[in-house]
Every structure is written in C-alpha cells, then in structure tokens.
Amino acid sequence: MLVKVLVGLVVAVLLVITLAYVFQRRLIYLPTGGPVPSADRVLPGARDVRLTTSDGLTLGAWFAPAVGRDLGYTVLVANGNGGNRTHRAELAAALRAEGFDVLLFDYRGYGGNPGDPTEEGLALDARAAYTYLVDDLRIRQDKLIYFGDSLGGAVLSELAVERPPAALLLRSPFTELADTAAEHYPFLPVRLLLKDRFPVVEHVRRIRVPTAVVYGTVDSVVPSTQSRAVADAVAGPVTRVEVRGADHNDPVLLAGSRVVGAVVSLVS
C-alpha cells in the first residue's frame, strides 16, 4: 500500500511538472486579443501605424504626438504581460500632456497581432518599434526614452543595451523571470522549467544612461525587493521612486503623477 501511495505521488508530481512545462507560456503571457479600436478614437490626434519585425510579422501600434508644448522627446512604451495597448492609453495621455510624443505597440499575439509571444519574439517586436521611430520617423536615438512596464522593463532593458536611449524608466521590474516565478510557484523547479529568462539585472549592469526605477512597496506580483535589486544593479545614474502602499496594478503606478513625473525628471 505504501509503495502504491508513493508511486501515485510521484506520478502526480511528474504530471504537474509536465503540465507546467508544456503550458508555461499561457501562464506568463496574458494577452487581450483584438480588434483594437483606431488610435484617434482613444487618443484624439493619434494615428494607427504598422511595425514590421525582422521575422516578417506586422504589428499594430499607435503614435500619439505631444499635446501643447513639445519637449522634443519620444517615449517608447513596452507593455507588461497582460492586456493590450488600450490599457496604456491613460499613460500615453498623461505623457502627451507633459510634452512627449508616445508610441504604444502590442507584442505578437496581443491586440489582434499574429504570432505567439516568447522572449526572443518580444525582443524582435521592440526592435521593430525602435526601427519605426528611428528609420521611418527620423527620430534621433538620443531623443528616445524607453518606458518598460513590468515585463516590458525586461524587453526594453535588453534593447537599451543594444541601442541606448536618452533615458530609461523601469516600472516594477523583476530581477529575472525565474525569481518572480519562484515567488508564485515555490513548489515547482521553475529554474529548470522556464524557456524564457528575461535577465533584467544582467542587462542593467551594462546600461549607463539615466535610469528611473519606479515601484510600489506592497507589490503582490513583483516583490519590491526585486525592483530595488534592479535599481542597485544599474551601472549608470539611477533614481528610485518608491510609491508607498502601492500594489502592482494600482492606478498610481500605471499612470499616476509619480510615474509621469519620473519620466519628466529624466530629461529635465
């Protein structure tokens, strides 16, 4: 009887581990599909644009010019792991009001885009957004600000190593994906199972542009200790913006004055 119980437990554990491995990307990437409304319906004066990735995908995006004064900088926003670009419209509106042009784009598999999200794929998507701004719109690299929202911080920290911007903002970044996964699934050998790594700390150790790290003190998704560790690892000048009592998806961290103010301070 004991042997049967032990065998049953082993089989159950192996089944859970197998399912976690096979379906891991469905747990990591939580897209909201399309269709996405036209840009000017959500952000008056914005326009729909198309990005072309190096592996042949066409991605939807919105380009929203500054409203009123123009500071001469463009903010490239990389989303977190959930939703689509409509969920960053409030952030874009706040940044436009401060004088920034803004590009919002959706990763592959998000917002009606073709493809399936992976670490490698999201890196290609971010490069396509950069290429559109620099090659198509002729925006100088030193007039770009990268805004990485949670998972987007991992995507843009990699891009910042390859193509340094004027400045970088990381909102609620994790140290690497496995560290956050281990917090949520402590019963799984996540470091052995994960296909996608997103090693943020490795990237920021090579980043020397002015960087702001914004995070909440009661983040239930990415522990604030990880965001602090990212800030500590940045090679260049870094500003820490700690929002006391804020959780990961609280409005104050999505488009609040502390977040928008941190972007303004990077170029002031």
Side-chain angles (χ1 to χ4, degrees), residues 132-220:
Y132 170 78
L133 292 173
V134 173
D135 291 353
D136 294 3
L137 298 189
R138 301 296 180 182
I139 297 171
R140 286 168 29 196
Q141 188 171 328
D142 63 355
K143 291 296 182 179
L144 293 179
I145 301 170
Y146 297 166
F147 185 113
D149 184 356
S150 191
L151 178 72
V155 176
L156 290 186
S157 62
E158 179 178 354
L159 182 66
V161 173
E162 302 171 357
R163 299 168 173 85
L168 170 69
L169 186 142
L170 304 175
R171 202 282 285 182
S172 305
F174 49 75
T175 46
E176 66 173 290
L177 185 60
D179 293 337
T180 299
E183 292 282 340
H184 295 279
Y185 304 101
F187 51 88
L188 290 174
V190 293
R191 297 183 190 283
L192 296 176
L193 297 176
L194 280 177
K195 300 175 183 178
D196 297 334
R197 293 185 58 235
F198 292 108
V200 178
V201 165
E202 287 184 20
H203 295 320
V204 299
R205 285 175 177 156
R206 301 167 61 192
I207 292 174
R208 301 192 179 278
V209 303
T211 300
V213 179
V214 184
Y215 58 91
T217 58
V218 294
D219 196 315
S220 59

Side-chain angles (χ1 to χ4, degrees), residues 120-135:
E120 180 181 4
L122 268 57
L124 296 180
D125 301 343
R127 291 185 194 119
Y130 170 90
T131 298
Y132 170 78
L133 292 173
V134 173
D135 291 353

Side-chain angles (χ1 to χ4, degrees), residues 1 19 23 33 41 44 52 65 81 84 96 110 117 121 149 157 167 187 189 200 205 207 212 230 233 239-240 249 253:
M1 181 62 70
L19 290 173
F23 295 107
R41 286 182 55 192
T52 304
N81 69 318
N84 59 39
R96 295 175 76 194
Y110 288 72
D149 184 356
S157 62
F187 51 88
V200 178
R205 285 175 177 156
I207 292 174
V230 170
T239 301
R240 298 164 177 80
N249 290 314
L253 283 180

